[in-house]
């Protein structure tokens, strides 16, 4: 009888729901199944299992950095079979093909990849869908997962396809997101006056980027952008700061304006030079913006300004049964 190990990371519970559904289905078929939460459980002998299932959400059209780091450190010594599954609000980007390639190099034999659609929980930017929409999405997702589990048990080889244009575009977006986007977004979080200094966000953060300062959480620049903190705060005090976001947007637009001026009034530079110049200026301006925000946060006069947000009335969304302790 095949023994399964499900390796998973879940930010707000959608992937966890998928994992528990797969576990339930496999156990009902008589299979032995263990779950490995990559945030906590690391001491597992991978060679004790014949089949490995890797599950994760899609962030920025790619795989979360925490999952990539975990996969980069594991290795199969007996060519175990593997499956790669992701959850997304509609597009897997390059995540499945990326993880498959890494696992293949690690000695796994990946024979199945697929994506399951759930509702989005990107509360920092978008208001989560209604409870009714969420319930329908979970019901549809469960039906899809049951069918996927049957195909896995039957050892059906299947790889989710993506056209070359979409793949290339998703790689560009993902590289920008994982290197800068998620870090910038993490710095735009604030805790408003409703914060009770409970420290729940600090304890729940999978990337360990939240620390408490003067009774308020503060985010470092290595945010995973998993949205767990904003969706699980018991007082809904965590918000997106419009002012912080505006500072970063200005810092990203400024290099474009400078390059336009250089080309219009000084030199007509080759395209490749403009691209390299912009990338360099973009990184520098982003660092400057981050330092500026850190300095402003130390001054009490900027507190109310930073607290200006449009996410206060947003619904918070965490999957039912998801344990973040």
């Amino acid at each position: 009888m095949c023994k399964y190990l499900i390796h998973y990371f879940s930010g707000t519970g959608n992937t966890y729901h998928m994992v528990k559904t797969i576990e339930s289905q496999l156990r009902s078929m008589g299979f032995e199944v263990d779950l490995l939460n990559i945030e906590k459980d690391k001491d597992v002998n991978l060679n004790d299992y014949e089949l490995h299932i890797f599950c994760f959400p899609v962030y920025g059209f790619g795989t979360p950095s925490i999952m990539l780091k975990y996969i980069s450190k594991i290795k199969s010594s007996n060519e175990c079979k593997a499956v790669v599954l992701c959850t997304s609000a509609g597009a897997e980007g390059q995540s499945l093909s990326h993880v498959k390639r890494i696992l293949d190099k690690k000695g796994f034999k990946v024979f199945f990849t697929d994506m399951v659609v759930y509702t989005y929980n990107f509360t920092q930017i978008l208001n989560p869908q209604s409870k009714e929409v969420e319930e329908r999405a979970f019901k549809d997702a469960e039906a899809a997962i049951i069918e996927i589990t049957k195909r896995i048990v039957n050892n059906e080889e299947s790889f989710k396809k993506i056209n070359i244009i979409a793949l290339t575009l998703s790689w560009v977006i993902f590289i920008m997101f994982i290197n800068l986007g998620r870090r910038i977004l993490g710095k735009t979080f604030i805790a408003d006056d409703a914060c009770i200094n409970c420290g729940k966000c600090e304890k729940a953060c999978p990337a360990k980027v939240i620390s408490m300062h003067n009774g308020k959480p503060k985010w470092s620049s290595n945010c995973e952008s998993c949205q767990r903190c904003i969706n699980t705060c018991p007082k809904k005090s965590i918000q997106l700061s419009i002012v912080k976001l505006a500072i970063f947007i200005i810092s990203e637009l400024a290099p474009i304006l400078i390059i336009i001026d250089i080309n219009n009034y000084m030199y007509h530079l080759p395209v490749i030079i403009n691209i390299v110049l912009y990338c360099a200026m973009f990184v520098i301006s982003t660092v400057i913006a981050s330092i500026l925000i850190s300095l402003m946060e130390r001054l009490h006069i900027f507190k109310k300004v930073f607290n200006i947000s449009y996410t206060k009335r947003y619904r918070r969304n965490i999957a039912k049964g998801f344990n973040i302790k």
Side-chain angles (χ1 to χ4, degrees):
M1 183 64 69
C2 185
K3 189 176 181 182
Y4 290 80
L5 177 63
I6 305 178
H7 313 240
Y8 75 94
F9 166 70
S10 185
T12 56
N14 289 351
T15 300
Y16 180 74
H17 174 267
M18 177 172 71
V19 167
K20 293 300 289 183
T21 304
I22 295 171
E23 179 192 27
S24 175
Q25 288 299 303
L26 290 174
R27 290 191 185 280
S28 69
M29 298 176 191
F31 294 102
E32 186 176 346
V33 188
D34 288 330
L35 305 184
L36 190 159
N37 181 350
I38 70 166
E39 292 179 56
K40 305 172 183 177
D41 312 314
K42 300 293 176 67
D43 298 326
V44 176
N45 186 353
L46 302 186
N47 295 319
D48 289 341
Y49 302 87
E50 291 82 14
L51 199 150
H52 297 259
I53 304 176
F54 295 85
C55 302
F56 52 86
V58 172
Y59 297 159
F61 293 101
T63 309
S65 62
I66 189 173
M67 193 72 185
L68 290 175
K69 289 176 183 176
Y70 168 76
I71 294 173
S72 69
K73 295 177 181 178
I74 64 175
K75 188 174 182 180
S76 171
S77 61
N78 59 356
E79 296 186 325
C80 299
K81 289 184 176 181
V83 169
V84 182
L85 301 174
C86 66
T87 58
S88 170
E92 75 278 6
Q94 52 77 50
S95 61
L96 295 176
S97 59
H98 187 195
V99 172
K100 178 186 180 301
R101 186 167 64 253
I102 296 173
L103 290 174
D104 284 340
K105 291 180 179 179
K106 290 287 183 177
F108 292 89
K109 291 184 176 180
V110 179
F111 70 92
F112 191 99
T113 65
D114 208 345
M115 182 266 290
V116 179
V117 178
Y118 279 84
T119 50
Y120 58 78
N121 290 341
F122 201 19
T123 309
Q124 188 178 9
I125 302 297
L126 302 170
N127 193 5
Q129 293 129 302
S130 68
K131 203 68 179 175
E132 293 72 23
V133 172
E134 179 188 350
E135 288 174 356
R136 288 197 302 269
F138 270 65
K139 186 176 180 180
D140 292 341
E142 194 163 315
I145 295 164
I146 291 172
E147 182 60 31
I148 287 172
T149 306
K150 291 177 182 176
R151 295 170 67 189
I152 293 171
V153 169
N154 291 330
N155 291 308
E156 178 183 330
E157 185 175 288
S158 176
F159 303 107
K160 198 168 192 306
K161 304 296 183 181
I162 181 171
N163 67 63
I164 189 64
I165 295 175
L167 182 63
T168 302
L169 182 59
S170 63
W171 262 111
V172 172
I173 295 173
F174 174 67
I175 290 171
M176 293 176 64
F177 175 81
I178 199 169
N179 289 296
L180 280 174
R182 65 187 177 92
R183 302 173 189 276
I184 290 173
L185 287 171
K187 296 293 288 183
T188 63
F189 278 122
I190 54 98
D192 63 22
D193 294 335
C195 177
I196 58 174
N197 189 23
C198 66
K200 187 175 181 179
C201 54
E202 180 183 23
K203 295 173 184 176
C205 178
K208 305 303 178 188
V209 299
I210 301 176
S211 55
M212 304 302 290
H213 291 268
N214 299 320
K216 297 282 187 178
K218 186 176 181 179
W219 287 258
S220 71
S221 60
N222 199 31
C223 180
E224 192 69 58
S225 198
C226 69
Q227 306 295 297
R228 188 182 293 176
C229 58
I230 191 171
N231 281 296
T232 59
C233 176
K235 294 298 182 179
K236 292 178 64 174
S237 72
I238 296 176
Q239 318 290 345
L240 167 76
S241 170
I242 293 177
V243 175
K244 285 186 178 183
L245 182 62
I247 290 173
F248 277 117
I249 291 174
I250 292 170
S251 74
E252 292 160 14
L253 292 177
I256 297 176
L257 298 177
I258 293 172
I259 290 172
I260 290 174
D261 280 345
I262 291 174
N263 281 270
N264 285 342
Y265 302 109
M266 297 176 66
Y267 307 101
H268 292 287
L269 301 175
V271 174
I272 187 64
I273 299 298
N274 281 319
I275 293 174
V276 172
L277 186 61
Y278 173 75
C279 289
M281 294 175 66
F282 176 86
V283 173
I284 293 171
S285 63
T286 300
V287 171
I288 292 174
S290 182
I291 294 173
L292 176 62
I293 288 172
S294 294
L295 292 174
M296 293 172 69
E297 284 179 321
R298 297 177 185 179
L299 302 176
H300 187 74
I301 58 174
F302 290 109
K303 180 180 178 181
K304 290 191 179 298
V305 175
F306 278 159
N307 280 358
I308 299 173
S309 177
Y310 62 79
T311 57
K312 294 178 185 291
R313 296 183 181 274
Y314 277 11
R315 190 174 83 87
R316 279 12 182 202
N317 195 17
I318 197 81
K320 185 178 180 180
F322 182 51
N323 185 0
I324 60 171
K325 294 181 181 179

